[in-house]
Amino acid sequence: MPFGHDMAHSLTTVVELINTCPAVDGKEGLADLDALREFVTRRQVSGVESLTDEDLAEVHALRTAFYRIFTASDQATAVVRLNELLSRTRMTPRLTEHDGHPLHVHYFAPGAKVAEHLAADCGIALAHLMVAGEFERLRSCAAPDCGRVFVDESRNRSRVYCDSRTCGNRMHVAAYRARRRA
């Protein structure tokens, strides 16, 4: 499924946010304000002036909510969880151009805190994905020692590993070795 720039950016952002969660791999990827600041800069989250400890706590709670959406057992559960998240978000859709990006829609309210900004933009991207009947593209890595999430953008929805070069390669080598021993 080809995603537009905005949707692809928001989906990548939500995946990266979720994958900082200790529930994913036991490590805290957003341990302090410096880590949050680096995430905001790397993901080009616009309109964020300053960050506080309250922002960090809100982003931690938000990523847990997103993780629960990605790992929902079915689309109906994911929809309920996403609607809960979106209902707590002030949204003011508006067209904007910035940082060399073409005209696109921002969903967060002007002056929104970073967690609300992420909830609105990433939540809307997930909502569009579900409305398009693409819930099954929200995946957790099939490697037994990996809990990372990803969006399967393959044409035939066949991707099972978060990264084919790490988890995929490791699992294929393990399967090959097991076959050789047999």
Side-chain angles (χ1 to χ4, degrees):
M1 170 178 206
F3 300 124
H5 167 75
D6 297 346
M7 188 162 172
H9 181 78
S10 293
L11 291 173
T12 301
T13 299
V14 73
V15 164
E16 284 190 25
L17 178 63
I18 293 167
N19 287 333
T20 67
C21 188
V24 170
D25 65 5
K27 293 179 266 183
E28 175 57 72
L30 292 177
D32 54 29
L33 287 176
D34 288 336
L36 179 58
R37 217 173 269 110
E38 191 277 326
F39 176 83
V40 165
T41 300
R42 185 179 71 253
R43 294 305 315 148
Q44 298 177 331
V45 180
S46 61
V48 176
E49 303 273 324
S50 61
L51 296 169
T52 66
D53 288 332
E54 182 181 347
D55 290 320
L56 183 61
E58 289 172 358
V59 168
H60 284 172
L62 176 64
R63 74 177 176 192
T64 299
F66 278 133
Y67 180 73
R68 293 183 65 237
I69 292 165
F70 263 73
T71 58
S73 59
D74 54 51
Q75 181 169 326
T77 303
V79 166
V80 167
R81 291 174 180 173
L82 183 56
N83 278 335
E84 278 177 28
L85 184 147
L86 291 173
S87 72
R88 297 187 307 262
T89 305
R90 296 176 299 140
M91 284 189 241
T92 308
R94 60 191 170 87
L95 295 170
T96 185
E97 290 178 286
H98 61 86
D99 301 324
H101 297 294
L103 190 63
H104 60 282
V105 180
H106 278 188
Y107 293 96
F108 59 92
K113 296 171 76 172
V114 67
E116 192 171 22
H117 175 135
L118 291 168
D121 275 351
C122 296
I124 291 295
L126 290 174
H128 283 294
L129 195 76
M130 288 187 202
V131 166
E134 302 288 350
F135 168 73
E136 69 276 359
R137 290 187 183 274
L138 304 181
R139 304 262 175 94
S140 293
C141 186
D145 59 342
C146 182
R148 296 175 66 85
V149 301
F150 63 95
V151 176
D152 180 3
E153 294 184 52
S154 67
R155 188 175 294 202
N156 63 358
R157 297 175 185 89
S158 62
R159 187 171 157 201
V160 294
Y161 301 114
C162 65
D163 185 350
S164 61
R165 290 168 294 181
T166 54
C167 289
N169 189 48
R170 193 177 61 239
M171 297 306 295
H172 287 84
V173 168
Y176 170 78
R177 289 180 179 159
R179 285 191 307 273
R180 299 280 292 170
R181 282 192 299 268

